[in-house]
Amino acid sequence: MTFDRATLPSLLNREQLEAVLHGEDPLLVLAGAGSGKTRVITYRIADLVRSRGVPPWKILAVTFTNKAAEEMRERLLGLLGEEGGEVWISTFHAAGARILRREGEAIGLPRSFVVYDESDQLSLMKRVLEAAGYEKRQISPGVVLRRIDAAKNHGLGPDDLESEDEADGWLVADLYRRYQAALREAGAVDFGDLLLRLFELFETAPDVLERYRRRFEYVLVDEFQDTNDVQLRLLRMLKEDGRGLCAVGDDDQSIYRWRGANVENLLAFPEIFPNTRIIKLEQNYRSTQIILDAAHAVIAKNPHRMEKKLWTRNGPGEPLGCIVARTEREEAERVVDRIRASLRRGVDPSEIAVFYRTNAQSRVLEEAFRLGGVPYQVVRGRSFYERAEVKDLVAYLRLAVHPHSDVDAARVINKPARGIGATTLGRLQAAAADWGVSLVEVCRQAAQVPGLSAAQQQRARAFADLVGRIALAAAEGAAGDAAEAALVLSGLEAAYLDEGTDEALERLENLREFVGAAREWDARHQPDPDDDVTPLAAFLEQIALLGDADDRVSGPKVSLMTLHASKGLEFEEVYLTGMEESVFPHVRALGLFGAPESLEEERRLCYVGFTRAKKRLVLSLAQSRYIFGELRFNAPSRFLSDVPPRLFGLEDQERLRPADLEEIDEVEDAAFDLDEDDGFEDDYVIDYAWDQRPEPRKRPKPPRKKEREAPALRAGMPARHASFGVGMIEAVDGDKVSIRFPGVGLKRVMIRFLEPV
Ligand code: ATP
Ligand code: MG
């Protein structure tokens, strides 16, 4: 195969080589981003197998995400051929699941156990609370689960909680016990259990532990800074004296504290495992010096860190880019404009990434990508309108417009939970079929439905009422008001607040973002008195059109992801959006609520984001933005002002002023000449909205920002709109036109969104 020890010196620097060839003693590689830590792990495995004759199945490599595991497996297949596939490469959790499936019977776990995700956990906890005689009002299931999860991450059982100082420790301990019993009964484990029960297995079945000890002669752990206490304990069980253990990590990239990760593990490693050899790597192979300097300027402000300074032979590279937009919509459009310019210069879409702090920010970006015809994928996250919670809210709104939409009714009749179970729903559906009316109509006449108790009838009627009330709000007001009414009246908002987990709050954030999207739609589309379509109906139609082009596009795509998901990855060009106070750093890390450690973690997140870029880093911000459907004006992020102006190409000044950013932005825009026809084929550009075929096709260039010239359009001419198709212009008024689309009605739209046909 392709691996040969003799070639290593040409592939690795001296320190990397030392780490790869290092013997059995515990090994810790401590180094900054892009210095080749992951590369060391890969080559070390290859060397163990090829040069030292270690059977591949005796090696366990632990990565932080499944995606990282896949990438490493691919590299090893390349280096070792088939044998590369025999190495165990997985996350801690996946390894736990795999071992428990084989050996779990020793602790009473059936082979076919199921793994519960967060929503499963929640419904189980609700049942536990009910059975224990607590009302939902008294104890929030989400809060209890959070406490249990935290305990599990620290390897604590119910007994440990009882003896804690917290006054309600006994209560949580009691619920913890009941919850575990319920899991056992269901033959299920939750995420935390995948590790904790493995621990239990190793403790109760020493023979099993002994087998795995002998089996995993070598254990290599990537991203060690984000391990939690249980993971460390498991490692200590498997590798008591640390022989054969290798960990790599960077304290500056610890970004999962909120999930129980403990960066102290990295620092304590040499004390836990005597004779640890520590190797530091300082040369960065990924980024330009300018990008490294910017990252260093941000992270250097954190106290309590191991000082590391990276250098590179890659040269200074181009100055940082910057985009200052008035609104988040403009920000998204301008990011896409610049990406189009890069694609024309020949950059591969898969070498471009756009990052954001929270999932909800992806919505506006996705729309801009679709409008701009640039293929994209949302990495480790669902496309905004595909998210379950967004679909729920849309279902309520669709019901408000079309009460006979039974699919939507069935989807949300028990969301949030209102005691209408599967059996009741079945009876209602049967009645609907019998009577030939809609599900909502059946609910309204629930008293006539056979087999329903009085309480069930009452709940069904309440649901029909609810739909009626949302419809009323929708008929009167704008799309934004309708969306907000649906969010509140449906009880979804209250339910997520009640749940209170990070995941629930993030879902709620997405729903509020959706309300913001509807408000924005209203602002851009004045209702027309002649129009027979309500703003809500038009808005829903636009979403439906946005929703379905995604999967038909194959080939390389630009990656959109949260900063957290970007760990370990690299791209030629990175756009970091939403560089604003309260967005990034996130509002939860600021002011009254923010602990100083949270701000430090945001800083590390910024460091992670910057250091993903190989050649080009563009920082963008919007001066105003809808957050939770409310217009906010945020100052530029403090992380921007930490970056020395010279890195943006401003030589003779000490500090960056907001006006400078705008200036850099303009100069850059001009330099890119976004409108220029430079002879490159728009190979990658795809028409999402009006072209159903997957083949790329040419698309008119977007107008340059400053002089977005309106196409010459007059009344009586046909024109094409990305969402509505071809319509007939009835009147032109400044930069807007009134145009009638078949099946949609009369719309007022900005000229620049139209294309002559
Ligand atoms: P992170 O902290 O972001 O996870 P890392 O330390 O794991 O980064 P790698 O991803 O292993 O760094 O390496 C960064 C890039 O530099 C990769 O593209 C890798 O192939 C390349 N690289 C690392 N070392 C060398 C080397 N000695 N010669 C050439 N390329 C190298
Ligand atoms: Mg890495």
Side-chain angles (χ1 to χ4, degrees):
M1 283 299 143
T2 45
F3 180 84
D4 178 3
R5 200 178 224 189
T7 62
L8 282 181
S10 63
L11 296 166
L12 303 167
N13 65 33
R14 215 185 53 215
E15 293 77 21
Q16 291 174 333
L17 189 64
E18 192 192 334
V20 166
L21 300 181
H22 176 82
E24 314 282 282
D25 280 343
L27 171 65
L28 178 65
V29 178
L30 260 182
S35 57
K37 295 183 296 297
T38 304
R39 187 176 171 105
V40 160
I41 291 196
T42 317
Y43 278 99
R44 187 170 161 80
I45 294 173
D47 189 69
L48 287 171
V49 174
R50 271 286 171 275
S51 318
R52 292 181 242 182
V54 179
W57 48 271
K58 290 201 142 197
I59 301 173
L60 169 66
V62 183
T63 57
F64 195 74
T65 61
N66 294 315
K67 184 175 194 305
E70 253 153 56
E71 268 169 30
M72 190 173 289
R73 181 164 303 120
E74 221 146 89
R75 295 292 319 273
L76 281 175
L77 285 172
L79 289 169
L80 297 175
E82 254 174 45
E83 273 189 300
E86 291 171 37
V87 179
W88 266 44
I89 309 171
S90 76
T91 63
F92 272 110
H93 288 98
R98 197 164 161 187
I99 298 175
L100 285 174
R101 282 237 187 271
R102 294 181 176 185
E103 323 278 352
E105 274 161 5
I107 49 168
L109 199 61
R111 246 162 215 277
S112 56
F113 67 83
V114 285
V115 180
Y116 273 11
D117 68 11
E118 208 170 329
S119 62
D120 301 325
Q121 281 181 275
L122 213 75
S123 30
L124 185 68
M125 181 51 86
K126 279 179 189 153
R127 275 198 277 131
V128 166
L129 285 173
E130 256 175 48
Y134 295 108
E135 272 191 37
K136 226 175 82 201
R137 295 267 155 266
Q138 291 171 302
I139 300 177
S140 145
V143 171
V144 181
L145 272 178
R146 225 170 356 188
R147 293 273 294 274
I148 294 176
D149 276 339
K152 287 186 173 179
N153 285 333
H154 289 106
L156 302 177
D159 300 343
D160 303 305
L161 289 190
E162 217 152 51
S163 55
E164 261 184 1
D165 294 339
E166 307 237 8
D168 58 355
W170 62 271
L171 174 62
V172 180
D174 176 49
L175 292 169
Y176 190 169
R177 277 191 203 101
R178 290 167 187 261
Y179 170 77
Q180 287 305 114
L183 277 174
R184 267 168 217 262
E185 212 164 284
V189 298
D190 64 15
F191 245 61
D193 276 355
L194 285 177
L195 303 179
L196 216 54
R197 301 224 53 197
L198 184 62
F199 188 71
E200 182 191 333
L201 170 72
F202 284 164
E203 273 201 324
T204 44
D207 54 317
V208 176
L209 173 61
E210 194 47 42
R211 244 187 302 128
Y212 282 91
R213 266 187 188 154
R214 268 204 306 264
R215 166 167 192 155
F216 294 130
E217 254 180 67
Y218 291 88
V219 178
L220 302 97
V221 189
D222 200 359
E223 307 275 3
F224 193 79
Q225 75 279 0
D226 277 324
T227 50
N228 67 28
D229 294 348
V230 183
Q231 290 163 343
L232 180 64
R233 262 159 73 179
L234 285 167
L235 283 176
R236 291 177 78 165
M237 285 181 119
L238 279 176
K239 297 261 125 225
E240 272 181 305
D241 53 4
R243 282 177 70 76
L245 178 62
C246 161
V248 311
D250 176 5
D251 59 319
D252 287 334
Q253 295 187 66
S254 145
I255 53 175
Y256 282 93
R257 197 173 52 98
W258 52 284
R259 268 205 215 153
N262 184 359
V263 66
E264 298 297 322
N265 293 343
L266 183 71
L267 312 179
F269 188 97
E271 288 155 38
I272 300 170
F273 303 106
N275 293 326
T276 293
R277 172 89 180 96
I278 300 179
I279 294 179
K280 296 192 174 172
L281 309 175
E282 280 172 347
Q283 180 172 357
N284 169 292
Y285 289 86
R286 180 182 293 147
S287 312
T288 65
Q289 190 65 51
I290 282 186
I291 291 167
L292 288 185
D293 287 351
H296 186 258
V298 170
I299 197 68
K301 289 213 163 171
N302 264 2
H304 332 295
R305 57 182 285 274
M306 290 184 265
E307 175 60 28
K308 303 183 226 64
K309 177 100 204 205
L310 291 166
W311 62 276
T312 182
R313 285 217 179 89
N314 293 346
E318 45 178 298
L320 305 181
C322 136
I323 293 174
V324 181
R326 274 164 315 210
T327 64
E328 81 264 39
R329 175 157 298 276
E330 188 192 314
E331 180 193 28
E333 284 171 4
R334 306 243 343 260
V335 165
V336 172
D337 278 356
R338 294 230 185 145
I339 289 176
R340 288 174 56 100
S342 292
L343 295 178
R344 279 201 295 276
R345 278 179 308 155
V347 182
D348 190 293
S350 56
E351 278 293 335
I352 302 178
V354 182
F355 300 157
Y356 34 84
R357 176 64 181 82
T358 57
N359 268 313
Q361 286 166 255
S362 80
R363 199 259 312 166
V364 177
L365 283 162
E366 284 184 65
E367 283 171 13
F369 271 90
R370 287 170 188 276
L371 220 54
V374 177
Y376 72 92
Q377 60 177 342
V378 178
V379 175
R380 271 182 83 203
R382 270 167 211 276
S383 163
F384 186 81
Y385 290 110
E386 297 290 304
R387 294 193 180 121
E389 66 275 18
V390 173
K391 283 183 160 174
D392 290 344
L393 193 56
V394 168
Y396 273 111
L397 290 172
R398 277 210 295 246
L399 271 182
V401 180
H402 315 284
H404 28 258
S405 173
D406 286 357
V407 181
D408 290 311
R411 180 178 179 99
V412 294
I413 194 164
N414 200 31
K415 259 184 211 148
R418 47 174 78 92
I420 304 183
T423 325
T424 310
L425 176 58
R427 296 207 170 113
L428 292 167
Q429 278 168 327
D434 266 7
W435 305 351
V437 299
S438 73
L439 202 52
V440 172
E441 187 52 39
V442 168
C443 287
R444 191 166 296 129
Q445 304 179 36
Q448 327 303 320
V449 179
L452 293 191
S453 71
Q456 284 161 341
Q457 291 172 13
Q458 155 60 25
R459 289 182 196 131
R461 267 200 312 273
F463 176 68
D465 269 5
L466 168 62
V467 173
R469 268 182 296 150
I470 297 174
L472 209 60
E476 277 175 8
D481 295 337
E484 180 153 354
L487 176 59
V488 177
L489 294 177
S490 66
L492 284 172
E493 183 178 49
Y496 284 127
L497 282 175
D498 224 36
E499 235 176 72
T501 58
D502 282 350
E503 191 193 307
L505 294 178
E506 186 170 333
R507 286 179 193 274
L508 183 56
E509 212 166 283
N510 286 332
L511 292 181
R512 287 175 171 161
E513 175 64 22
F514 179 89
V515 174
R519 290 212 186 289
E520 210 179 284
W521 166 271
D522 290 329
R524 286 187 297 144
H525 300 83
Q526 317 298 328
D528 195 300
D530 299 338
D531 214 339
D532 47 356
V533 180
T534 63
L536 176 62
F539 174 62
L540 290 175
E541 187 146 321
Q542 184 231 10
I543 298 175
L545 287 169
L546 277 179
D548 67 7
D550 222 15
D551 300 330
R552 276 199 290 275
V553 185
S554 59
K557 296 174 187 144
V558 174
S559 301
L560 270 58
M561 70 188 84
T562 61
L563 282 158
H564 279 101
S566 77
K567 202 163 75 148
L569 306 179
E570 56 186 23
F571 304 89
E572 258 175 52
E573 283 192 25
V574 166
Y575 295 81
L576 214 171
T577 63
M579 292 295 291
E580 301 139 39
E581 289 289 297
S582 293
V583 176
F584 186 40
H586 194 276
V587 65
R588 260 179 277 168
L590 299 178
L592 278 180
F593 307 106
E597 308 91 73
S598 315
L599 191 57
E600 286 170 33
E601 184 134 323
E602 296 287 304
R603 220 171 249 296
R604 291 193 291 269
L605 200 51
C606 186
Y607 174 79
V608 169
F610 281 16
T611 52
R612 298 308 97 198
K614 295 194 222 170
K615 295 195 175 138
R616 195 168 143 66
L617 174 61
V618 179
L619 307 174
S620 81
L621 65 92
Q623 291 161 331
S624 70
R625 150 181 327 263
Y626 278 96
I627 297 178
F628 302 155
E630 226 175 80
L631 190 63
R632 303 274 177 83
F633 297 85
N634 294 318
S637 167
R638 68 190 66 200
F639 302 145
L640 273 173
S641 49
D642 293 336
V643 177
R646 72 175 171 83
L647 302 179
F648 286 100
L650 300 174
E651 285 304 336
D652 356 280
Q653 59 187 77
E654 295 243 314
R655 286 194 65 79
L656 202 62
R657 298 159 307 204
D660 296 330
L661 292 172
E662 287 179 52
E663 200 181 307
I664 303 162
D665 178 6
E666 289 201 9
V667 171
E668 232 196 314
D669 241 11
F672 268 104
D673 225 352
L674 295 176
D675 210 14
E676 191 66 19
D677 187 356
D678 46 17
F680 277 108
E681 274 291 301
D682 280 1
D683 275 347
Y684 298 114
V685 174
I686 288 168
D687 258 334
Y688 275 94
W690 64 81
D691 184 354
Q692 302 291 307
R693 286 164 305 147
E695 309 93 62
R697 63 171 244 198
K698 233 174 148 78
R699 198 189 116 90
K701 305 238 165 0
R704 192 193 302 225
K705 172 197 142 214
K706 248 146 261 119
E707 50 202 70
R708 285 209 195 266
E709 228 177 82
L713 292 173
R714 273 172 287 110
M717 278 171 70
R720 196 194 298 270
H721 182 272
S723 309
F724 301 125
V726 176
M728 194 60 78
I729 297 178
E730 301 205 340
V732 180
D733 170 19
D735 59 351
K736 296 210 180 91
V737 298
S738 304
I739 172 167
R740 187 175 295 278
F741 298 98
V744 178
L746 193 67
K747 298 266 109 199
R748 262 167 78 82
V749 301
M750 303 284 286
I751 288 191
R752 65 189 176 91
F753 289 123
L754 293 176
E755 187 200 358
V757 280

